[in-house]
Amino acid sequence: MSASDTRETQVTSLGRLAGRCYDRRRLVLVLWILALIGITVVAQVVGTHFQNKFTSGNTQSQQAADLLSARFPAKAGDTADVVFHTATPIAANRADITKVVDSLTPLAHVTSVTSPFSPAGAHQISPHANIAYAVVQFDTTTDKLPPAAVNKVISTAEAAAHPGFQVALGGYPISSVAKISPGASEGIGISAAIIIMLLAFGSVVAMGLPIITALFGLGIGVALLELVTHFLVVPNFAPEMAAMIGIGVGIDYALFIVTRYRQGIFEGRDPRGAVVMSLMTSGRSVLFAGMTVVISLFGLFLIGQPYMLGLATACIAAVLMVLIAALTLLPALLGFSGNAIDKLHLPGLLQSGGPPPPNGFWHRWSRLIQRRAWVTGTLAVLVLVLLALPLFSMRLAFTDASNDPTTQTTRQAYDLLAQGFGAGFNGPLVVAVDMHGPQDRVVVQRLGQALSSGVPNVAYTAPPQFNATDTGAVILVVPTTGPQAAATENLVSYLRTDVIPPVVGGTEVNALVGGQTAGGIDAANFLGGRLFLVIGAVLILSFLLLMMVFRSVVLPLKAVIMNLLSVGAAYGVMVAVFQWGWAGSIIGIGEKGPIDPWIPVTMFTILFGLSMDYEVFLLSRIREEWLRTGDNSVAVADGLAVTGRIITAAAAIMFCVFASFVINDPLHILKVFGLGLAVAVLIDVTLVRMVLVPSIMEILGAVNWWMPRFLDRSIPTIGVEVIPAPAPSPA
């Protein structure tokens, strides 16, 4: 079958799908409603099992955890801190603290609670503040702990608080279940989308259909995500992240289809014909755009970590469901609206569904840029490079509880421990020692002395603890700096390379630096090493897809380079705000610190998929004009004129959705992610689409469409937009 035959078959398939959804619109709507209710009810009955389990492969910290599990079974589980802050000296509150310890000891999955008044807890009382803490030892790791057991510990401890006696809880098990109440980010984003679409359409019906479509798809996508948590490791912030992406792309996809439908009605087509035409044209672009986002997200599977698989699945579920809704539910809803798509409109704001005027703003803008192509293109590149400069100082590390909202018990516990004992008490290092018998005790004692004397950035080292068979020992090392500090990362490296090897070298003793802080550092290094693998895979795939679509080698190369510049600029702004602290107080970032290592790689896959959307929508129209006229300058100007308003409206919606998570969501991770995505979309639709595309395409001229003949013959053709048949009776 030839490429053209394949293309025609795809067109006919989408056309038939549109016609069937239109003809059976009541059945389609009922099925979507039943699916939304049914899957949501099942998800609520089954419940969720989100896990913030950030693993790092077979690293030294993981080996240390395995060793402790084998040598110290009673301490194989994770621990949590119950921090007390009293108005009077700690000693005067001994009865209240002991009561809390006694109430926690018999709880399920708690093996022991070390009181600050016990011999083992002598160091758990601050010498210069009314602060102390108890250590709750669980019987297993956080990913295996039932959330109900952890929540019972939290509620039992917090119930003892009273005026002058503050109780806060911290530690990995607590942060894994202590959900931060989300803000109204989704509502703000949707409200902004409503305003933008009212300005773009002027019609209440045309505005409402994309919103309804996106919410249906997102609702089912989030419900499916909750079911997936029982099979995959999914972080507890995944629903908000899926909502951020799902709302943005869902509204955009429906917006493009509704725009083409209104154009069909303007041309004089009947509603059914307009629906079929909209899916055969814009629907094809939407299908291609959605699949590119999904394919880009599959790049996260290359990381090879369970939590990245769960995070990618969450985003893929949201994108797929809003995409399916745009291709099935939206044609049915358009069937209900019919010719009344613009009937309920705002006076003076109704926009015509027809093509833009021949000498409108976007056409004049493109000609202005094209006349000064070298100057405007150079300036745009310089701005992008300037914005990207902070990228080169990016430090990847997991942020700690100091970035949580101050109302969160984990943040309160962090601040109290830092105030009473130093920031390092929030992230102690655990040195696990593999021994072969009592004869190794001398080496372990010598190692303990080496760790406690003269090592920079070490605040406290606990005496070694041996198991009953002298086959293992553990030494607790508390840094002077917090878990996310660069100095703590340097300390871990220093202990592993300069302190431990000279002591245990030549013996059968093996000492490993582990603990949650070291595990986070190892995970960050692991992800940093995989970042370029994912970037390379996504770049190659994007280049090949664009080459198949536009039958050009130059255009895909240009798109890849421009997208790299826009993503780099977004990374640069992200580093300047969250790592350097520029304007951080305005958006409430908490403590400035590093960038969580999973964010750059996840953001890259999403941004490349989203930028491909606009690239396809714009270049498909430019190519259509190029094939019609053979004049590159005219094709660029006309293509930008036709798509400028709708792409700008779509990008404005996505920008508002992403930005709403920056200004209104209390979760630090979503603030970072939202800022990066919002900046990238803003750059993409302004500097890239409005300046770089017309200037570079004008400079390159006919070279834009160069394709070696052997490649043209050997690679398949993927059609995106097709030229529909003329309307039977144009308006």
Side-chain angles (χ1 to χ4, degrees):
M1 179 179 289
S2 68
S4 60
D5 292 334
T6 303
R7 205 159 47 242
E8 184 62 32
T9 300
Q10 293 171 344
V11 171
T12 303
S13 299
L14 275 178
R16 284 201 303 267
L17 176 64
R20 288 173 180 172
C21 292
Y22 180 93
D23 296 336
R24 297 171 176 83
R25 50 189 175 274
R26 290 180 177 82
L27 175 62
V28 172
L29 179 59
V30 169
L31 289 177
W32 269 95
I33 293 174
L34 291 177
L36 177 61
I37 295 174
I39 297 177
T40 302
V41 169
V42 171
Q44 293 298 315
V45 171
V46 174
T48 61
H49 186 58
F50 292 103
Q51 306 173 60
N52 284 355
K53 184 182 178 182
F54 303 110
T55 54
S56 56
N58 189 30
T59 57
Q60 185 172 145
S61 56
Q62 184 60 51
Q63 295 171 18
D66 295 339
L67 176 61
L68 289 176
S69 179
R71 300 291 191 268
F72 295 87
K75 295 186 177 182
D78 290 333
T79 62
D81 297 323
V82 182
V83 187
F84 307 99
H85 182 214
T86 59
T88 55
I90 288 294
N93 294 269
R94 180 166 185 158
D96 285 339
I97 294 175
T98 302
K99 184 178 179 181
V100 174
V101 171
D102 292 341
S103 66
L104 295 176
T105 303
L107 295 182
H109 295 281
V110 174
T111 59
S112 65
V113 182
T114 304
S115 169
F117 300 108
S118 66
H123 64 283
Q124 295 172 201
I125 300 177
S126 172
H128 53 77
N130 299 334
I131 297 172
Y133 69 95
V135 179
V136 179
Q137 177 70 57
F138 289 102
D139 60 2
T140 187
T141 54
T142 300
D143 58 298
K144 298 176 183 177
L145 273 175
V150 182
N151 283 320
K152 183 63 176 176
V153 170
I154 296 174
S155 60
T156 301
E158 290 182 339
H162 56 78
F165 187 76
Q166 180 186 359
V167 181
L169 294 95
Y172 191 43
I174 307 301
S175 62
S176 68
V177 301
K179 285 279 289 182
I180 298 175
S181 300
S185 304
E186 294 90 343
I188 294 176
I190 292 174
S191 300
I194 290 173
I195 296 173
I196 292 169
M197 284 192 292
L198 279 177
L199 295 175
F201 291 139
S203 165
V204 176
V205 177
M207 171 275 297
L209 295 182
I211 300 290
I212 295 172
T213 303
L215 291 180
F216 262 91
L218 181 62
I220 295 179
V222 172
L224 289 173
L225 165 62
E226 293 177 346
L227 295 176
V228 168
T229 60
H230 295 278
F231 308 100
L232 299 175
V233 177
V234 182
N236 60 11
F237 53 81
E240 289 82 3
M241 193 166 145
M244 181 194 306
I245 298 168
I247 291 175
V249 300
I251 294 176
D252 274 12
Y253 293 164
L255 174 64
F256 287 119
I257 293 175
V258 170
T259 299
R260 202 62 182 247
Y261 174 81
R262 293 178 73 243
Q263 178 183 333
I265 295 296
F266 175 85
E267 293 172 350
R269 301 176 189 271
D270 64 284
R272 190 183 190 280
V275 168
V276 172
M277 184 272 294
S278 65
L279 248 68
M280 288 170 55
T281 53
S282 291
R284 288 169 61 83
S285 295
V286 164
L287 177 60
F288 180 81
M291 294 313 299
T292 55
V293 175
V294 171
I295 291 172
S296 295
L297 287 168
F298 271 113
L300 296 178
F301 286 24
L302 296 174
I303 298 296
Q305 292 299 304
Y307 69 95
M308 293 302 291
L309 174 62
L311 193 61
T313 303
C315 297
I316 288 172
V319 173
L320 278 180
M321 291 313 304
V322 297
L323 176 61
I324 294 172
L327 298 178
T328 58
L329 177 60
L330 183 56
L333 296 177
L334 289 171
F336 287 109
S337 66
N339 285 311
I341 186 74
D342 291 332
K343 188 173 182 180
L344 186 60
H345 62 270
L346 301 181
L349 289 179
L350 183 62
Q351 301 290 330
S352 168
N359 197 30
F361 168 78
W362 291 107
H363 191 279
R364 296 196 309 272
W365 173 265
S366 181
R367 286 304 194 188
L368 174 66
I369 297 297
Q370 288 173 288
R371 285 195 298 270
R372 299 169 177 82
W374 280 104
V375 175
T376 55
T378 301
L379 288 176
V381 170
L382 288 176
V383 172
L384 290 174
V385 171
L386 182 64
L387 291 174
L389 287 179
L391 161 66
F392 297 100
S393 66
M394 178 186 291
R395 190 173 71 86
L396 299 178
F398 285 96
T399 50
D400 54 35
S402 65
N403 299 109
D404 290 348
T406 54
T407 56
Q408 195 75 359
T409 187
T410 50
R411 171 64 182 276
Q412 295 168 5
Y414 181 99
D415 290 343
L416 289 174
L417 286 176
Q419 176 186 344
F421 304 92
F425 264 77
N426 288 287
L429 306 177
V430 179
V431 180
V433 185
D434 185 13
M435 302 167 56
H436 293 81
Q439 69 275 10
D440 292 332
R441 275 181 170 258
V442 176
V443 178
V444 176
Q445 295 285 1
R446 192 163 64 245
L447 176 60
Q449 294 172 1
L451 293 171
S452 59
S453 59
V455 178
N457 201 33
V458 171
Y460 168 81
T461 301
Q465 297 183 29
F466 300 90
N467 64 359
T469 59
D470 281 330
T471 57
V474 59
I475 305 173
L476 194 71
V477 178
V478 178
T480 58
T481 50
Q484 70 180 18
T488 303
E489 182 178 354
N490 294 334
L491 174 62
V492 171
S493 177
Y494 181 67
L495 293 179
R496 288 173 173 174
T497 58
D498 296 309
V499 177
I500 294 177
V503 177
V504 302
T507 71
E508 294 185 356
V509 172
N510 184 27
L512 304 168
V513 179
Q516 294 296 339
T517 299
I521 293 170
D522 289 342
N525 292 332
F526 178 87
L527 283 176
R530 292 294 183 97
L531 176 61
F532 292 103
L533 173 64
V534 175
I535 289 177
V538 173
L539 288 180
I540 293 172
L541 183 59
S542 302
F543 178 85
L544 293 175
L545 285 174
L546 287 176
M547 186 169 61
M548 294 177 192
V549 171
F550 298 114
R551 319 307 297 173
S552 167
V553 174
V554 177
L555 285 180
L557 183 61
K558 171 191 68 67
V560 165
I561 294 174
M562 288 194 305
N563 287 341
L564 279 176
L565 286 173
S566 61
V567 171
Y571 284 175
V573 173
M574 196 167 63
V575 169
V577 173
F578 291 97
Q579 189 173 314
W580 295 357
W582 291 6
S585 59
I586 299 177
I587 60 177
I589 66 171
E591 293 292 327
K592 63 181 181 180
I595 306 299
D596 284 82
W598 62 269
I599 290 180
V601 64
T602 307
M603 186 181 297
F604 184 85
T605 58
I606 295 173
L607 284 178
F608 239 83
L610 297 181
S611 62
M612 283 273 284
D613 291 1
Y614 300 137
E615 190 79 13
V616 168
F617 289 129
L618 174 59
L619 291 185
S620 60
R621 284 306 184 94
I622 294 178
R623 184 170 185 268
E624 183 179 317
E625 295 300 319
W626 162 256
L627 294 175
R628 184 177 63 85
T629 65
D631 188 320
N632 180 76
S633 295
V634 172
V636 172
D638 290 350
L640 188 61
V642 172
T643 60
R645 188 181 70 175
I646 192 64
I647 288 180
T648 301
I653 291 172
M654 203 172 286
F655 171 80
C656 291
V657 170
F658 295 151
S660 66
F661 283 83
V662 180
I663 62 175
N664 194 66
D665 201 287
L667 191 58
H668 176 81
I669 288 175
L670 292 181
K671 284 182 179 290
V672 180
F673 209 88
L675 179 70
L677 290 177
V679 170
V681 169
L682 180 63
I683 290 172
D684 194 74
V685 79
T686 53
L687 287 176
V688 174
R689 302 289 166 243
M690 293 176 61
V691 180
L692 273 181
V693 168
S695 61
I696 292 178
M697 291 191 72
E698 176 67 20
I699 292 171
L700 295 177
V703 176
N704 287 302
W705 313 101
W706 178 72
M707 178 81 160
R709 289 184 179 180
F710 76 93
L711 275 180
D712 198 21
R713 289 193 303 265
S714 59
I715 65 172
T717 299
I718 301 178
V720 182
E721 292 257 355
V722 297
I723 303 175
S729 55

